Amino acid sequence: MRARIQTAIEVVYPPRCLGCGAMVESDFGLCATCWRDTPFIGGTVCDSCGTPLPGERDGFRIECDDCMDRPRPWRNGRSTLLYRDKARELVLALKHGDRPEIARAAGAWMARAGREILQERMLVAPVPLHWSRLWRRRYNQSALLGQSLARAVGLEVCPDLLQRMRRMPMLEGLGAEDRFALLTQAIRPHPRRAGRAQGRAVLLVDDVMTSGATLAACTHAALDAGAAEVHILTLARVAKDD
Ligand SMILES: [Zn+2]
Ligand SMILES: [Zn+2]
């Protein structure tokens, strides 16, 4: 029913910019002004997290200071936007503003940002949200992003490959080590989905990467589920200088 209502709405109302609501030519995009104000990541990037780096690539693996200080358990990572300005607004609107349509456009943006690390037969798996938060927000933004990305590139998605065992409302105030310890205990492979990751490359999808603690815990859980290797792709990266 909801889907039919949505279709009807789209027929009546022409596409609007996801950033400001102005009329746009194509569906699920940004107007020229919002596009300019949205910091898409391009050029040389860290191979582990996708943060932009100065200089040209020389064919060797490069990492940002953050990833060198804290070696990542996953193989490669990319991110789509810098978490500031219009990008921050879009991420927050997707997370808290009940704007799932942002994920549809974002999936295509992420496909582009992740093109160097995507592989055939990769299994896309979102970072899980605790069920009680899922109840309140109605959807897991990372799962929507994962589904949208998977559709854009023709990969298989497993929305509940990983599950979050308990709520952790206090994470914000904790140091990186404590966050990591708590998260590692809290994220596990779903016992009935683990077989799907067996021997495959898994691509973890999340909306924002800050310290990377959640993604690290998810990587360990995916490896526990039998994944041969894990890569990450996020919608936005919090850059250290911000
Ligand atoms: Zn706009
Ligand atoms: Zn990095």
Side-chain angles (χ1 to χ4, degrees):
M1 191 50 170
R2 265 189 78 84
R4 258 182 292 157
I5 292 169
Q6 192 58 40
T7 308
I9 290 170
E10 279 161 15
V11 171
V12 175
Y13 298 98
R16 288 180 175 275
C17 170
L18 292 167
C20 69
M23 303 284 194
V24 287
E25 294 281 313
S26 67
D27 212 350
F28 314 126
L30 294 169
C31 72
T33 308
C34 289
W35 188 268
R36 191 195 60 209
D37 295 342
T38 303
F40 282 88
I41 294 173
T44 307
V45 298
C46 168
D47 280 314
S48 286
C49 73
T51 212
L53 292 173
E56 295 289 318
R57 293 203 75 108
D58 56 6
F60 292 97
R61 184 180 182 86
I62 43 166
E63 287 186 327
C64 68
D65 292 345
D66 225 14
C67 291
M68 284 200 285
D69 289 348
R70 194 179 303 147
R72 311 297 187 180
W74 60 81
R75 194 163 288 184
N76 294 311
R78 289 292 185 273
S79 190
T80 315
L81 308 164
L82 283 174
Y83 188 66
R84 55 172 160 79
D85 307 328
K86 205 79 193 172
R88 186 168 172 276
E89 282 174 34
L90 287 169
V91 170
L92 291 174
L94 172 64
K95 195 171 198 158
H96 302 294
D98 206 10
R99 302 266 320 273
E101 74 277 12
I102 293 169
R104 284 196 261 176
W109 304 340
M110 289 170 80
R112 192 166 180 281
R115 64 196 181 281
E116 290 173 337
I117 65 166
L118 295 175
Q119 303 173 18
E120 299 278 333
R121 277 194 25 87
M122 226 174 193
L123 182 66
V124 177
V127 166
L129 198 65
H130 189 267
W131 64 267
S132 63
R133 287 203 175 152
L134 194 58
W135 184 255
R136 233 179 317 142
R137 284 192 204 151
R138 301 200 307 118
Y139 60 81
N140 172 2
Q141 69 279 3
S142 301
L144 287 188
L145 290 170
Q147 277 156 351
S148 172
L149 166 77
R151 204 179 305 122
V153 295
L155 288 175
E156 191 189 334
V157 60
C158 185
D160 56 355
L161 180 71
L162 306 178
Q163 53 185 182
R164 204 178 275 245
M165 306 308 290
R166 50 172 123 141
R167 283 186 65 182
M168 285 168 297
M170 302 292 285
L171 276 186
E172 317 292 315
L174 294 175
E177 306 295 314
D178 293 333
R179 280 171 75 110
F180 183 79
L182 266 177
L183 283 160
T184 304
Q185 295 163 32
I187 296 173
R188 295 191 193 151
H190 191 301
R192 288 198 300 278
R193 302 285 179 272
R196 291 183 65 183
Q198 193 64 47
R200 294 174 72 173
V202 167
L203 181 71
L204 293 173
V205 169
D206 205 0
D207 55 349
V208 183
M209 174 173 168
T210 308
S211 72
T214 308
L215 285 159
C218 289
T219 300
H220 290 297
L223 293 170
D224 282 350
E229 55 189 78
V230 178
H231 303 258
I232 65 144
L233 181 56
T234 58
L235 177 55
R237 173 76 167 113
V238 178
K240 218 168 188 181
D241 316 345
D242 286 10

